[in-house]
Amino acid sequence: MKWDWNAVSDFMPDFWDGLLVTLQVLALGSLLSFTLGLVWTLLMRTPSRWVRWPVGVVTEFVRNTPLLVQLFFLFYVLPEWGLTFSAPATGVFAIGLHYSTYTMQVYRAGIEAVPVGQWEAATALNLPRRRTWTAVILPQAIRRVVPALGNYVISMLKDTPMLMVITVLEMLGHARLFSQQHFQFTEPLTVIGVAFILISYLASLLLRALERRLVR
């Protein structure tokens, strides 16, 4: 089998388009998952069971159903109920919602790892509850969970090819379309594989640097 550099050259414009979509979905999906995960965690710590129970049911349902099923449901079923969103917006929401149920557990572990003395000190200083969370508990908890959150960022990256099922052309989607049009599969798929490896490696380096900075 001969490697065709012309095929690589022809594929690169499509690759850059797909890379941009992949990075946009990854960035927005990560932001949504981190935010929603923290919201779920705080809601599950409220005294009212009327808040905890529905949040627990929703998060368990989302965590225990495949992301692929959720994508199909959000994109193909919700429009029948009058709720229609663009394919990229649906992809971002699905990935963010799905992974928020995992980041929720990461935040919970981080909060529970904060020493009890920190809570007692905040109480002794008569800090308001909101101030206790924002100035004492959450800064310490988040520093502890950065490595785990980073792992989920990489997992989200590897799940972005699923967006092909709702017509989002990310990197693999562009490679698949190019391959079908030009009957050349080796070159575009190899480029995509290398790109995923490089992005994952760079993301891990950035997360390690952030972790070292937060530990100081």
Side-chain angles (χ1 to χ4, degrees):
M1 181 180 61
K2 184 179 180 181
W3 181 266
D4 188 349
W5 287 106
N6 289 329
V8 176
S9 178
D10 292 340
F11 173 63
M12 291 312 294
D14 293 334
F15 167 75
W16 294 119
D17 290 340
L19 176 62
L20 179 61
V21 172
T22 297
L23 294 179
Q24 288 175 338
V25 170
L26 178 63
L28 295 175
S30 298
L31 179 62
L32 181 60
S33 70
F34 294 162
T35 304
L36 273 180
L38 183 57
V39 171
W40 299 142
T41 303
L42 296 179
L43 289 176
M44 287 297 291
R45 295 183 68 87
T46 59
S48 174
R49 65 177 182 176
W50 298 107
V51 175
R52 296 195 311 272
W53 185 81
V55 170
V57 169
V58 169
T59 54
E60 283 296 321
F61 176 80
V62 173
R63 184 165 56 246
N64 290 290
T65 52
L67 175 58
L68 191 60
V69 173
Q70 295 166 17
L71 285 167
F72 275 116
F73 183 85
L74 292 172
F75 192 68
Y76 294 108
V77 177
L78 286 188
E80 297 182 5
W81 299 349
L83 297 173
T84 303
F85 304 95
S86 68
T90 301
V92 168
F93 180 72
I95 287 180
L97 176 63
H98 184 80
Y99 276 94
S100 71
T101 60
Y102 293 96
T103 59
M104 163 190 173
Q105 299 300 325
V106 173
Y107 284 124
R108 179 188 61 78
I111 291 171
E112 291 178 355
V114 175
V116 177
Q118 298 295 309
W119 296 89
E120 295 173 346
T123 302
L125 293 172
N126 199 29
L127 292 179
R129 185 172 180 81
R130 178 177 298 180
R131 180 67 174 167
T132 298
W133 278 103
T134 59
V136 179
I137 304 303
L138 288 180
Q140 296 183 63
I142 290 175
R143 280 200 295 269
R144 288 177 165 85
V145 302
V146 165
L149 292 178
N151 290 336
Y152 283 119
V153 172
I154 295 174
S155 295
M156 280 185 267
L157 170 67
K158 292 188 289 187
D159 277 347
T160 54
M162 289 191 187
L163 302 189
M164 282 192 298
V165 302
I166 59 171
T167 73
V168 175
L169 288 179
E170 39 63 65
M171 286 195 297
L172 187 58
H174 274 287
R176 180 171 175 267
L177 184 61
F178 180 90
S179 298
Q180 291 174 342
Q181 291 174 343
H182 297 82
F183 301 100
Q184 292 174 304
F185 295 87
T186 302
E187 291 81 6
L189 292 177
T190 301
V191 169
I192 294 304
V194 172
F196 272 110
I197 293 173
L198 290 177
I199 295 171
S200 297
Y201 181 67
L202 290 174
S204 65
L205 290 180
L206 290 173
L207 290 166
R208 289 174 192 168
L210 178 60
E211 181 183 1
R212 287 194 296 268
R213 184 177 182 85
L214 290 175
V215 169
R216 291 177 183 176

